[in-house]
Each structure stands twice: as structure tokens, then as C-alpha cells.
Amino acid sequence: MWKMEPVKLPMLAGFVYALAIVLIGALVTSSLLAFSGTKESSLPLYVYMVNGLALFVGGFVSGKRSGEKGWYYGGLTGLLYFLFMLLVSFLGFDAKMGMTQVYQLLMALACSAMGGIIGVNMSGKK
């Protein structure tokens, strides 16, 4: 008989974790703006911090689940996250493609690949 092996998609797990962190971060940031004296001018800093944390954790989860090639699986998670955010910005805000998006892609790849590298080293799979 054939034995069905579970499909291993570490990037999908990392992407889901990254989206969860972004949603929680958006709630915390909006609450901070609404209920404290925080100025809206500091909002871009919070957005970059939440996205960087989400990318790092997403890469970490994908690297840990894969157990190998953390930079690869983490980088793919960052690419998937970037493409999703790019799609949302095009459809929701009619954003144009420019050098800013290229820099965001490079930072997404770097943050998530670093998380993937650390995740593989924390996985215990040798």
C-alpha cells in the first residue's frame, strides 16, 4: 500500500505567522495612536518595526520547520510576504512600482532570511 506523506510547506507556516504578527501589531499600533499621546508622525517607524518583526518571525518559523536551508526557506517566506503586501497595495491603494518597493523587497528578503538561518540553528535537526 502507498503511504501518504504530509506535504511540508514551511514557507506557508512562516507566512501565516507573519500575517498574524502584522494583524496584532496593527491593532496595538492603532490602539496606541487612539488612546495615548503618540503622534501620527511616528507611525512609519512603528510600521517598519512591526513588519520587520513579522518578517523575522516568519523566516524563523519557516527555517525551524524546514530544518535545512534556512536562508532559502526564510527568503522565500519574505518573498511571499512581499508579493502579498504588494498585491494589497496595488489593489487597495493604487500604488505604483518604484525604487521604494525594490528596497522593501531587499529588506524583506534580508529580515526573513536572517530569521530562517537562526530558525534552522534552533531546530535541532542535524
Side-chain angles (χ1 to χ4, degrees), residues 7-122:
V7 177
K8 197 166 112 175
L9 294 173
M11 294 120 8
L12 186 60
F15 179 70
V16 169
Y17 272 80
L19 284 182
I21 289 174
V22 165
L23 290 175
I24 293 168
L27 287 173
V28 168
T29 303
S30 63
S31 297
L32 188 65
L33 283 172
F35 302 118
S36 73
T38 305
K39 305 281 188 224
E40 284 187 28
S41 60
S42 62
L43 188 60
L45 174 65
Y46 294 131
V47 169
Y48 286 127
M49 287 174 23
V50 167
N51 279 303
L53 177 67
L55 284 162
F56 182 81
V57 170
F60 180 87
V61 168
S62 64
K64 188 167 180 153
R65 289 196 180 208
S66 71
E68 61 183 8
K69 298 180 187 173
W71 65 271
Y72 176 75
Y73 288 109
L76 285 178
T77 302
L79 180 64
L80 182 63
Y81 179 85
F82 171 78
L83 291 174
F84 178 76
M85 290 299 167
L86 192 65
L87 180 67
V88 167
S89 67
F90 281 147
L91 294 177
F93 304 106
D94 197 29
K96 305 290 184 239
M97 187 69 172
M99 284 306 293
T100 303
Q101 284 74 26
V102 174
Y103 294 136
Q104 289 173 349
L105 171 62
L106 293 175
M107 291 309 294
L109 291 173
C111 285
S112 58
M114 184 62 67
I117 290 168
I118 294 172
V120 164
N121 289 322
M122 300 291 279

Side-chain angles (χ1 to χ4, degrees), residues 1-6:
M1 296 291 296
W2 290 355
K3 184 177 180 182
M4 294 293 292
E5 293 291 325

